[in-house]
Amino acid sequence: MRSPEPLLSPPKPGLPPEEPSTSTSSTKLPGPVPSPILKSSSSRRTHSRSYSQETVTFAEILRQSSRPIDFEPNGNGFAPNSTQLPNFLRSSTRRNSGRIGSQRDLSDDEARFIYINEPARTHGSVKFVNNAISTSKYTVITFLPRNLFEQFHRVAYIYFLILGALNFVPQLGVFTPALGILPLAFVLFVTAVKDAYEDFRRHRSDNTENSRTSTVLTDGEFQPKMWKDIQVGDIIRVTNNETLPCDMVLLATSDPTGVAYVQTINLDGESNLKTRYAKQETLSTPPERMMGLVKCEQPNRNIYGFLANAEINGKKVSLGPSNIILRGCELKNTNWIIGVAVYTGSDTKVMLNNSGAPSKRSRLESHMNRETISLSVLLGLICTIVMVLAGIWLFVHEEDVGITPFYRKYDFEGKNKDTYNWYGKGGMIVFTFMSAVILFQVMIPISLYISMELVRLGQAFFMIQDKQMYHKATKSKFQCRALNINEDLGQIRYVFSDKTGTLTENKMEFQCASVYGSDFSGSSDGTNENITSVKADGVVLRPKTIVKTDPKLHELLRNGTGRDADRARDFFLALATCNTIVPIEMETADPNVRLLEYQGESPDEQALVYAAAAYGVMLIERTSGHIIVDVFGQQQSYNVLGLHEFDSDRKRMSVIIGCPDKSVKLFVKGADSSMFTVLDKTLNLDVTHLTETHLQNYSNVGLRTLVIGMRDLTSEEFEEWQSAYERASTALLGRGTQLRAIASKMESDLVLLGATGIEDKLQQGVPEAIEKLRQAGIKVWVLTGDKQETAISIGFSCRLLTGEMNQIVINANSRDSCRKSLADAVALSEKMMRNSGEQQALIIDGNSLVYVLETELEEQLFKVATRCDVVLCCRVAPLQKAGIVALIKNRTDDMTLAIGDGANDVSMIQMADVGIGISGQEGRQAVMASDFAMAQFRFLVPLLLVHGHWNYQRMAYMILYNFYRNAVYVFVLFWFVLYTAFTLTNAINEWSAVLYSVVYTAVPTIVVAILDKDLSRSTLMNHPQLYGSGQREEKYNIKLFIGFMLDSLWQSLVIFFLPYLAYRHTDVDWSGLGDLWILGIVILVNLNLAIDVVRWNWVTHAAIWGSIAATWICVIVIDSIWMLPGFWAIYHMMATWRFWFCLLAVIIVGLIPHFVGKAFLEHTMPSDIQIAREVEKFNNPTGTTSMPRVLGESVTTDIEVQMIQQQLQQSQS
Amino acid sequence: MSSSLASSSNLDGSDDTSPQQKQSKKPKYSRFTQQELPACKPLLTPGIVIGIFALVAVLFIPIGLASLSASEAVVEVIDRYDADCVPNDMHGKELDFIQNSSTNKTCTRRLTIPKTMKSPVHIYYELDNFYQNHRRYVKSRSDKQLLQPSKEAETKVCAPEGNTPDGKPIVPCGLIAWSLFNDTYQFSINSDSIQVNKKNIAWASDRSHKFSKDVYPKNFQKGALIGGGKLNESIPLSEQEDLIVWMRTAALPTFRKLYGRIEKDLNANEEITVVIENNYNTYSFGGQKKLVLSTATWIGGKNNFLGVAYLTVGGLCLSLVLAFIVLYLFKPRY
């Protein structure tokens, strides 16, 4: 219901501005009031959209956007202690940049023309896609080429492909060509099968989606039509709770004012309702008589922008983002809507936005590349050695090779009687080199890539399945969105955490109020519940959330008289009206009772409205022009005459309310810093002082504060405002600035009504989690939009800060003061470093960061910040969050992790090495951008300390092992080549060579990398210091790599030369000795793995012993094929003792260095992990007790040991 | 109409993006999914380390002794004849000597048996510096041709010994067969000739499954360059045991191949006269030729290396036992 009031004439409807501007801050809406809900939400979203654009120049933008603040007339200016609504903050930084693109006009060639209800004509010139969606990547026909194309994006594959292709050069044929390509083919095949299966599932879900139905106007009647058949230009009718089949422009709704509410949870994850409007011009036209042309922009990804003009029934209309409803939205609280399809199928915005999280590469994998390169060098080296030796051999035997039986260069039978397979000495040498590359190619392990994928899948499975990371309350489990950085979780040194919603629950609870100088902090025990319900139309309405109330305040409101009581009533009226909340009635089991749920963008506002309701001022209904408020049992209608939305300059919002008694009031709420500057200084200074004291108290206990003020407007004032407002809102240029100026003008000489304190509760287990993380050597930095006092108090309550810590606070207003305080901080921190033992905390605010980030001062900040144990950044903008992450990421090698829940955290989540989204209250944008998602902050502890640790250990070992494993094999081949006149004969038969890394040795390493645990969960959780192993890269470094390679060198020597010496001067044949070699290699590398396995469960047993058995069987099977030269060789070998003695000797001698080294190192310089393992084992009642009291009198000075000792003593006593 | 939840997952096409549908499943608790499978956690305690080394030592030293003694029990007579079997006037012109078909290649050697050699005495020829594992060489054979009469034309891989100049397939084709060893030995004691059994010198598996009894040599060794031995064209391949032995290519450049067996004890200090037909050309690549008479024990022929290696490793493990005992005693950790 629109309510044009006699007192004032609203801006004429039906006179939309001609310019198609869709500027985020000045969207033109029908009706007297620009929709508050849409406005703030759209600006917020504009912001989030900008994350993806750039993260580098954020400081530049920040400086631009915050510059005006510095020149604010009041000296206080950008005072650091101002209160903010955290989600309003989100709309603060980038509003300027969001405006630029949308001022352009829509030219014909970049527009699409849609004839309403005339799909055929719409498709006349250009064929638009139909509404069938296809999220699948492939069809049956395109699968093969496309999948192969995508797979070959991996450079390693191309390397292997080239090698495989080289194999087809007849002169080089080391392997039978087909066999040479087999390993790669296998890897490609496995991946292709995986992709095909995934795509099949997508096809299936697409089909379900495509065959859903909607009612579409066909031949003058609404008839059901499958989604996939909907075409651009169709008129569609959607009823309540239905999902929109395509992007459509609203034409009419069941609401006479043309309002429709939609839920966009599928789009951006926000669960609150958004308002969309049908244009006045189209509202009343029956759908079948709708005629017109919509000219809109080409499909694009911007879900918060839409630019179109329409000519409907002869009238020109401009359309903006508030007139379009996107596919995937759900219609709520609206009986029906009618709209015309503008974008369908793959053109819809949701489909265009359908892209995954950016892929990151794990630290281990990039280190692995380093080793891969050194292996390539090694490969080149041994190939060169072979080439040089072969060259020398050829020169020495130049005379002989012509008729030497095993060479026979001359072809006496050939037509030209010269040579056969001879390309000159140079040619032969070159071919030797290339053949060597082919033969030794497995030096770079191709199977490692697929193993890593499988292992990560397995690890992800276990992380997802972990019941300790399952949140019962929200029924959400851990999510792995990125599959390639599991192991990074074990190396984190910095955690950057958002505060609101991440450390806290983001469930705002109204705690206390200071009303006109009196503090009402006491609370009743919910005895006043019955008061909070009201009767309306025979139905009892009750707010969904019960708020603790103060009986004294109740008393004052109900029965109080005088100015204090009036102010108190105005205070709550302000809370109930000065907001953008939409009340939603919900059915309950009792048909006479309905719950009232307040939906809105800001949890703070929700808390305030619930509080007002609890005190008897209950917001019941909101339509576009007015709100209905139940004031102490009386339903009253208030006209919302104007609304000045929140912006970061003013840091407050205000509404102009026409009261039932015809008076007009301005209610303002905002951050204390901005509010105290606009109060009427002549009024009651005592109240102001008292309120300031209360505010101080509130923020000291960690409450979020807001100040409420009001002013009665005279009709002259109002009319003046109205005309100015009308002018401003139709202005072509600088509309936003003008509107802000008008708002600032109105928001002055306010009467202070009071202040509120809202608590944002800490999540369960946060202090303990932070404590554990810090014990694990992880620096936890908190980046919050809250003000400094609140941030510090939260810091204390989550034990980030302690009383003994020295706090270094930097909040500067200019570059110079910033430079100075940073210099001081550097000096101070240096001093404190020297008096070691003193912990320090750095607290810096976003205002100072503007002058620091991306300037030469960054280095200084880095110095101070890394010296500090704790860093708290308050009042930071989203891009600054990313900037701080970048500060660490660019200057150190340390791994960073960012965790956050809101859209404002997206930039830092994407910037950090590991991004974690909290699937909490604030929608899913953070989750969408994250690599991992979980429900609670405290899950970070098991994630990092347990799974991260395990994943890192496992993956690191697996990579090294794979290098070692293939090197052993290659070295054995190499030694053999030295005894074949350097001609690259394969010591091992082709089939075994192919199966070696794929079958013989692949399963154990994968199983171990998925299942092995160096330490139990409880040990890791109880001793967070053990996490340091990953941070120090103890399990994967050059030293270990060299160690593994030396081991492989030794083992290859043993594997080759023991049998060589034992079988010299015998009639052993090539295949038989080859079988001995391959069995030696496989058993040795598998046992080598077995020595390093920590935990033997049945899967490990099966994998390792099974692989050895499988190898043996394969060798026997291969030697049972008569076609192959090795026919029956293994049987002859196995019939001799010499074979078995050789095998045994190879295994034992090969393993001795590894075993001795391990036993020696574990004894003389045990790692933390080793000690913990021993404690775990011997402290375990079921374990062996051969070494009781392991840690009786430790000689190791390691803190770790002492720590474990203490634990042990405690548990023993 | 399906529920909104279903649509949310469908819209995205991927599974992890749906807010509620996927997550609502509580992880199933099992020892496997929680990675709590019962497991054994061995640790390298001093006891285990010392125990393992002691065990290895205890295992290896007897094996070493046994195989050493077995190897010592083998009686082996080796006679290198490639140089000596060239007439004095041909020294320095060995190639001319060997390539000339008219020269007398017969050569007589006398071997003294050092110890009694129990029957069977294996006769081997040993070649040195002959790369039967050379890549050009090992591939130069056609296994199909050897087994199936119908595939006799499959000689592509055999070049240049695949076909005769007029295109007829050579059976057996390839460099391996072409270079068949063709020295012969005749043994006698005090002019009593000793029977050499040349049956069953090749593997039974090769005779029955790799070389057919229906394939006969054809066009073999008829080319311009004679590589080695010729074959009797009336005997099927499966009975050409010298060829079968030769074609089981050796793994290493110094190798022996079984020539035959003497099924008669040879007494100590007996002098055996060997008449050698020195036909095979190893002079072109400087290879050695040796005649080897050897008995066999359970460990095979003479080879001290394994025994010595086992004793060495056993000894090493013993000293490691001592070393670790010292380490654990003098630098205890706990």
Side-chain angles (χ1 to χ4, degrees), chain A residues 173 212 985 1062 1141 1174 1177, chain B residues 41 133 139 303 310 333-334:
Chain A
R212 295 172 70 174
T985 315
F1141 285 171
E1174 285 164 15
K1177 172 138 187 174
Chain B
K41 303 173 275 181
N133 57 15
K139 295 173 155 210
N303 189 319
Y310 265 77
R333 226 171 87 206
Y334 311 109

Side-chain angles (χ1 to χ4, degrees), chain A residues 397-654:
Chain A
H397 295 88
E398 203 172 359
E399 307 295 321
D400 318 336
V401 291
I403 53 162
T404 301
F406 54 82
Y407 203 98
R408 262 255 341 240
K409 173 171 98 175
Y410 299 127
D411 180 1
F412 295 91
E413 338 292 333
K415 302 251 162 28
N416 35 10
K417 297 235 184 261
D418 41 23
T419 57
Y420 97 98
N421 275 4
W422 176 259
Y423 312 94
K425 276 201 294 283
M428 293 313 278
I429 289 169
V430 170
F431 283 139
T432 301
F433 182 82
M434 287 158 86
S435 306
V437 175
I438 295 175
L439 183 66
F440 300 139
Q441 60 175 313
V442 283
M443 193 76 169
I444 290 144
I446 184 172
S447 61
L448 180 55
Y449 290 91
I450 193 132
S451 303
M452 282 172 81
E453 302 247 310
L454 290 173
V455 164
R456 281 168 178 153
L457 266 174
Q459 291 176 346
F461 170 78
F462 284 118
M463 287 195 277
I464 292 164
Q465 290 293 322
D466 189 347
K467 65 167 182 169
Q468 295 203 5
M469 294 199 289
Y470 175 77
H471 194 224
K472 284 204 189 79
T474 55
K475 287 190 179 159
S476 58
K477 47 181 184 186
F478 182 79
Q479 290 177 58
C480 275
R481 296 177 45 79
L483 266 181
N484 43 1
I485 54 169
N486 289 350
E487 56 272 18
D488 278 353
L489 292 170
Q491 297 187 281
I492 302 296
R493 261 189 204 275
Y494 286 91
V495 166
F496 299 91
S497 173
D498 174 40
K499 190 192 82 76
T500 311
T502 306
L503 297 177
T504 65
E505 290 186 17
N506 201 12
K507 278 185 187 155
M508 303 301 164
E509 244 174 60
F510 179 85
Q511 286 296 331
C512 45
S514 158
V515 182
Y516 206 60
S518 319
D519 182 17
F520 295 96
S521 300
S523 64
S524 67
D525 311 323
T527 46
N528 302 327
E529 260 181 68
N530 53 342
I531 303 170
T532 59
S533 61
V534 296
K535 265 193 156 141
D537 307 331
V539 182
V540 176
L541 281 174
R542 182 175 290 163
K544 197 177 166 212
T545 310
I546 312 293
V547 181
K548 289 184 288 183
T549 51
D550 188 329
K552 277 189 296 186
L553 188 50
H554 259 296
E555 184 59 28
L556 179 70
L557 287 170
R558 301 264 155 168
N559 308 322
T561 48
R563 200 167 58 167
D564 281 6
D566 288 343
R567 290 294 184 227
R569 288 183 200 113
D570 282 340
F571 178 80
F572 284 103
L573 193 57
L575 293 189
T577 54
C578 182
N579 55 51
T580 59
I581 295 290
V582 182
I584 306 285
E585 285 179 23
M586 298 204 317
E587 307 277 337
T588 59
D590 183 353
N592 292 325
V593 177
R594 284 197 183 166
L595 280 186
L596 206 52
E597 187 185 348
Y598 293 125
Q599 293 238 4
E601 297 276 324
S602 150
D604 296 72
E605 282 192 346
Q606 287 175 341
L608 291 179
V609 179
Y610 278 122
Y615 281 106
V617 184
M618 195 188 296
L619 179 66
I620 288 179
E621 198 184 323
R622 174 186 293 272
T623 54
S624 46
H626 70 218
I627 50 178
I628 293 170
V629 182
D630 182 287
V631 184
F632 309 118
Q634 262 185 310
Q635 286 206 12
Q636 296 182 349
S637 175
Y638 292 86
N639 295 305
V640 182
L641 304 172
L643 183 139
H644 304 114
E645 64 178 285
F646 179 89
D647 68 56
S648 62
D649 303 358
R650 286 158 45 236
K651 293 195 196 59
R652 55 184 178 255
M653 71 168 287
S654 55

Side-chain angles (χ1 to χ4, degrees), chain A residues 24-25 43-66 89-100 648 877-879 907:
Chain A
T24 48
S25 56
S43 57
R44 168 183 176 178
R45 283 186 244 112
T46 313
H47 193 132
S48 61
R49 170 174 23 118
S50 66
Y51 295 136
S52 55
Q53 291 170 1
E54 71 272 90
T55 40
V56 192
T57 58
F58 61 90
E60 199 57 41
I61 292 148
L62 257 163
R63 257 171 257 136
Q64 282 171 10
S65 62
S66 49
L89 174 83
R90 293 187 193 106
S91 62
S92 61
T93 42
R94 292 286 296 269
R95 55 176 57 247
N96 292 330
S97 57
R99 204 180 297 149
I100 297 160
S648 62
L879 286 168
S907 59

Side-chain angles (χ1 to χ4, degrees), chain B residues 95-114:
Chain B
L95 266 180
D96 295 342
F97 163 75
I98 204 82
Q99 284 174 338
N100 187 342
S101 58
S102 61
T103 51
N104 180 15
K105 308 261 178 16
T106 313
C107 165
T108 309
R109 311 280 298 169
R110 287 174 210 291
L111 309 176
T112 310
I113 305 299

Side-chain angles (χ1 to χ4, degrees), chain B residues 49-236:
Chain B
V49 171
I50 291 169
I52 285 177
F53 283 124
L55 183 76
V56 171
V58 166
L59 195 68
F60 267 50
I61 291 172
I63 294 179
L65 288 173
S67 55
L68 204 54
S69 73
S71 169
E72 285 298 330
V74 172
V75 186
E76 202 176 60
V77 180
I78 304 175
D79 178 51
R80 179 179 169 190
Y81 63 89
D82 55 300
D84 295 344
C85 281
V86 176
N88 286 335
D89 57 329
M90 296 301 275
H91 277 298
K93 294 180 274 182
E94 284 91 351
L95 266 180
D96 295 342
F97 163 75
I98 204 82
Q99 284 174 338
N100 187 342
S101 58
S102 61
T103 51
N104 180 15
K105 308 261 178 16
T106 313
C107 165
T108 309
R109 311 280 298 169
R110 287 174 210 291
L111 309 176
T112 310
I113 305 299
K115 268 197 265 174
T116 304
M117 295 175 91
K118 291 264 182 228
S119 150
V121 178
H122 300 272
I123 305 163
Y124 296 98
Y125 54 91
E126 180 174 319
L127 294 183
D128 183 30
N129 213 11
F130 190 104
Y131 289 93
Q132 258 207 327
N133 57 15
H134 195 287
R135 195 157 66 88
R136 285 164 82 95
Y137 189 78
V138 289
K139 295 173 155 210
S140 187
R141 63 187 286 162
S142 166
D143 283 304
K144 282 185 186 153
Q145 183 203 46
L146 298 175
L147 190 64
Q148 287 156 301
S150 57
K151 300 264 175 77
E152 72 169 30
E154 297 222 352
T155 57
K156 222 178 125 202
V157 290
C158 289
E161 285 296 329
N163 294 0
T164 55
D166 49 350
K168 286 189 197 135
I170 298 175
V171 183
C173 72
L175 282 182
I176 303 180
W178 172 77
S179 61
L180 175 64
F181 186 78
N182 61 348
D183 285 5
T184 59
Y185 313 114
Q186 280 177 331
F187 299 86
S188 57
I189 304 173
N190 305 329
S191 68
D192 292 344
S193 81
I194 304 170
Q195 194 64 39
V196 174
N197 184 0
K198 287 182 69 87
K199 282 274 169 230
N200 295 335
I201 53 172
W203 293 358
S205 55
D206 279 353
R207 278 179 281 146
S208 57
H209 288 97
K210 272 192 96 65
F211 293 82
S212 167
K213 56 182 188 296
D214 300 324
V215 176
Y216 294 85
K218 254 185 222 165
N219 309 317
F220 185 69
Q221 217 67 279
K222 302 262 168 68
L225 185 69
I226 306 297
K230 305 194 175 177
L231 296 172
N232 183 341
E233 296 199 352
S234 60
I235 301 174

Side-chain angles (χ1 to χ4, degrees), chain A residues 59 62-63 66 70 78-80 788 808-822 842-855 857-858 861 872-877 880 884:
Chain A
L62 257 163
R63 257 171 257 136
S66 49
D70 307 330
F78 197 31
Q788 196 168 307
I808 302 170
V809 180
I810 298 175
N811 43 26
N813 284 321
S814 70
R815 179 169 303 246
D816 288 334
S817 66
C818 193
R819 192 193 308 274
K820 196 168 161 294
S821 43
L822 260 179
L842 174 71
I843 294 134
I844 184 163
D845 72 346
N847 202 12
S848 317
L849 285 173
V850 172
Y851 303 108
V852 176
L853 294 176
E854 297 222 329
T855 67
L857 294 179
E858 244 186 24
L861 175 67
L872 266 179
C873 302
C874 27
R875 308 198 328 115
V876 284
Q880 285 181 322
I884 291 164

